Amino acid sequence: PSQLGFQDAASPIMEELLYFHDHALMAVFLISTLVLYIITIMMTTNLTNTSAMDAQEIEMVWTIMPAIILIVIALPSLRILYLMDEINDPHLTVKAIGHQWYWSYEFTNYEDLMFDSYMLPTQDLSPGQFRLLEVDNRMVIPMGSPIRMLISAEDVLHSWAIPSMGIKTDAIPGRLNQTTFIASRPGVFYGQCSEICGANHSFMPIVVEATPLNHFQKWSSSMLET
């Protein structure tokens, strides 16, 4: 409610990222509490333990403990990195191309399903639509299906990012980057270009609409007819 945390996860990868965030934050919280406690004790007591002035045991503890903490944080992080790179039999491939300042999408499983996606001006918004986030043509995908995104750019650097999906992939001219995701629930998910790309960088939003498979088939048929 106070916009202090993440958006609700809409994909399994984002759920894993949220769990890892809480895991790492707990480690940081425990370390900060211990350091604050030690500083408080040192500032509020006049007693000095002479055996602590030169003790191999203490040096071993404060050398080994940080290493253990780093391992506890690194292992879940590496697991998520490998999960994010895993692409296993995608049901749909969509190519997103960044332009100054709009996105174009090509559904490569279909012969002629491609369109441009521009931000809707404020005066054209309908009640309930978000200013600077709504577009004229949403990217519609089937929920529960592995989606492979091929991301590139035509002119300058862009970045295709949807926070609730846990996706942020750079769009680089002359290079094709790849990412994958699964929409775990139906809904409309918003993102924006996350790489400064010129004067209208703030005005090229991304909107992904996840629908049941039968609705996606109807949408794709209607797009092909037009």
Side-chain angles (χ1 to χ4, degrees), residues 15-29:
E15 291 178 5
E16 293 289 339
L17 290 172
L18 289 178
Y19 293 146
F20 175 70
H21 170 265
D22 296 340
H23 170 75
L25 197 62
M26 183 56 65
V28 171
F29 176 75

Side-chain angles (χ1 to χ4, degrees), residues 4-162:
L4 297 178
F6 294 98
Q7 297 180 15
D8 292 339
S11 69
I13 289 296
M14 189 57 190
E15 291 178 5
E16 293 289 339
L17 290 172
L18 289 178
Y19 293 146
F20 175 70
H21 170 265
D22 296 340
H23 170 75
L25 197 62
M26 183 56 65
V28 171
F29 176 75
L30 293 176
I31 293 171
S32 302
T33 303
L34 178 61
V35 171
L36 182 62
Y37 172 75
I38 293 174
I39 292 175
T40 303
I41 293 298
M42 292 178 63
M43 293 180 63
T44 55
T45 182
N46 294 323
L47 301 177
T48 300
N49 190 344
T50 55
S51 64
M53 301 301 293
D54 184 18
Q56 296 296 325
E57 294 82 2
I58 293 181
E59 292 183 7
M60 289 181 61
V61 169
W62 70 43
T63 301
I64 294 174
M65 283 300 294
I68 294 175
I69 293 171
L70 288 176
I71 292 174
V72 169
I73 294 176
L75 290 181
S77 175
L78 290 174
R79 172 178 169 271
I80 295 176
L81 283 174
Y82 278 104
L83 286 175
M84 294 176 71
D85 286 337
E86 184 72 21
I87 298 178
N88 186 18
D89 190 22
H91 295 175
L92 184 67
T93 299
V94 183
K95 184 177 180 182
I97 303 175
H99 308 266
Q100 286 182 312
W101 288 271
Y102 64 96
W103 294 95
S104 61
Y105 298 99
E106 300 175 7
F107 287 71
T108 59
N109 300 75
Y110 298 83
E111 186 174 353
D112 294 318
L113 184 50
M114 58 187 71
F115 54 87
D116 296 331
S117 180
Y118 289 87
M119 186 193 75
L120 279 180
T122 304
Q123 62 270 19
D124 295 339
L125 292 176
S126 302
Q129 292 183 327
F130 296 106
R131 177 178 171 270
L132 301 183
L133 286 177
E134 195 57 65
V135 296
D136 55 355
N137 290 312
R138 295 174 174 176
M139 177 184 137
V140 180
I141 59 170
M143 58 168 286
S145 298
I147 308 296
R148 175 172 58 190
M149 292 296 304
L150 302 177
I151 300 169
S152 185
E154 189 181 63
D155 34 46
V156 299
L157 291 176
H158 301 278
S159 185
W160 201 80
I162 302 179

